[in-house]
Amino acid sequence: MRTSAVSGSRRRIRRSRTAAAGCAVAALCTAGVAPAVADGGAKPTIVLVHGAFADGSSWNGVIERLERRGYTVMAPANPLRGLYSDSTYIASVLKSIRGPIVLAGHSYGGAVISTAAEGNSQVKSLVYISALMPDVGESGMSLGARFPSALGTATESVPYQAGDGVSGTDLYLKRDKVHSVFAACLPESQANLLGVTQRPAATTAFSETAKVAAWKTIPSWALVGRQDMTINPEQERFEAERAHSHTVEINSCHVSLIAHPDAVADLIVQAAGAAQPGRPTLASSGSAGHDREMTGLGGIAGASLISGTAAVFLSRRVGRRTH
């Protein structure tokens, strides 16, 4: 009877410890697949700023994915009238938001967010998607001269006039260049629609030099498209490295936000996780000089491996202690 009681006690201890191991595994698995939410901390609002020749709908696929993960998303219209006026407008939009903000920009939108975020303590992370990241004194044109791309021969100038005697010059993408230079990773029919609906940018959007560079003080993330013909990928790498951005590279043309919304959304979620109150923040010098792939062990697979290892380890400890 005594032997039986001891044996039963050992079995109960073994079951208890195995259950504890299972709880640890479940916690690890949950951490790998659930949206990053700090205990007691609110998710940041994600603000998406489009670039030249586009509008907010270019973020549609990314917006859907972010909203499915529980984020509040805004994609305000970028006026495309000039770096100074555009960034002032976006800065005013940011002031209407309560709580932490993750600010993402595509293409020329990157230059806009670099200025608009300056001095706004609510902006916790900046995300650059195939984007311009000018330093103080630089412009889109000066960076393009240093890192030439096919965009130089893909635009046409059209004079415009507005009210109160305002006039200037707009830049449009040449219709026969939209697919090859701007959206080569999309079907030609879809690229044609982008050409038909494009919003022109005033030349001042690219000629005005940056007066501030918010990426110097705010942690940043960057996505480089290896097949980008609009902004030279070498320029994107250079910008990300000097900003000490957490950087990923994917095989994509310039419109990665349309062609690869999953990769873009995943990168923004990384930035959002670091922006949440009470959550450990990644170092701002995450990948300088070491471009990382949007591949490898991570997410569910990573959590499964870690949790599996934990289960084996705990099981072995239980076995040793109960024999």
Side-chain angles (χ1 to χ4, degrees):
M1 290 292 291
R2 187 174 183 179
T3 301
S4 175
V6 170
S7 176
S9 176
R10 287 177 176 173
R11 283 197 296 271
R12 285 193 295 273
I13 292 171
R14 187 180 298 114
R15 284 196 297 269
S16 176
R17 288 176 176 170
T18 301
C23 291
V25 171
L28 284 167
C29 291
T30 301
V33 300
V37 182
D39 291 340
K43 285 186 174 183
T45 297
I46 298 174
V47 180
L48 308 173
V49 180
H50 65 82
F53 319 118
D55 60 25
S57 67
S58 58
W59 291 103
N60 282 355
V62 176
I63 293 169
E64 291 172 359
R65 286 155 176 79
L66 293 175
E67 288 187 336
R68 283 204 297 265
R69 300 191 199 196
Y71 290 97
T72 298
V73 186
M74 294 180 64
N78 185 354
L80 305 180
R81 296 297 85 196
L83 179 58
Y84 303 151
S85 61
D86 294 345
S87 57
T88 299
Y89 174 76
I90 295 300
S92 71
V93 173
L94 300 179
K95 290 177 181 177
S96 70
I97 300 171
R98 297 182 62 183
I101 298 169
V102 171
L103 186 55
H106 171 245
S107 193
Y108 162 68
V112 173
I113 69 171
S114 293
T115 298
E118 183 67 17
N120 188 331
S121 61
Q122 290 177 250
V123 179
K124 306 301 183 181
S125 304
L126 297 171
V127 186
Y128 296 89
I129 306 299
S130 304
L132 296 177
M133 299 174 65
D135 199 349
V136 176
E138 291 179 342
S139 67
M141 287 184 177
S142 67
L143 284 167
R146 185 174 178 182
F147 298 94
S149 73
L151 182 64
T153 59
T155 61
E156 57 185 350
S157 301
V158 179
Y160 72 85
Q161 289 187 334
D164 299 325
V166 176
S167 63
T169 302
D170 271 339
L171 292 177
Y172 287 83
L173 287 172
K174 295 177 181 177
R175 293 285 294 277
D176 62 346
K177 298 290 187 180
V178 173
H179 187 234
S180 61
V181 174
F182 192 66
C185 51
L186 299 180
E188 189 168 0
S189 59
Q190 188 176 2
N192 181 62
L193 287 176
L194 294 179
V196 171
T197 60
Q198 67 176 293
R199 290 183 56 215
T203 55
T204 46
F206 302 105
S207 64
E208 291 179 345
T209 58
K211 297 179 180 179
V212 294
W215 48 260
K216 291 186 175 183
T217 56
I218 301 174
S220 60
W221 281 251
L223 183 143
V224 175
R226 295 194 185 99
Q227 288 79 45
D228 197 334
M229 300 290 288
T230 300
I231 298 178
N232 190 326
E234 288 302 318
Q235 176 181 327
E236 295 173 14
R237 294 185 185 106
F238 164 76
E239 295 170 335
E241 184 172 353
R242 73 175 175 182
H244 305 297
S245 304
H246 305 279
T247 307
V248 296
E249 290 197 2
I250 64 173
N251 291 320
S252 178
C253 64
H254 188 60
V255 291
S256 51
L257 70 174
I258 300 175
H260 302 282
D262 285 312
V264 172
D266 286 346
L267 187 64
I268 293 172
V269 168
Q270 287 182 29
Q276 289 174 220
R279 184 177 175 83
T281 302
L282 293 170
S284 61
S285 56
S287 61
H290 300 281
D291 297 322
R292 296 183 292 176
E293 304 281 348
M294 289 295 289
T295 57
L297 189 64
I300 297 173
S304 297
L305 178 60
I306 294 170
S307 59
T309 303
V312 171
F313 176 72
L314 289 169
S315 177
R316 288 175 178 173
R317 290 188 64 187
V318 169
R320 282 198 300 269
R321 291 183 179 181
T322 56
H323 283 83

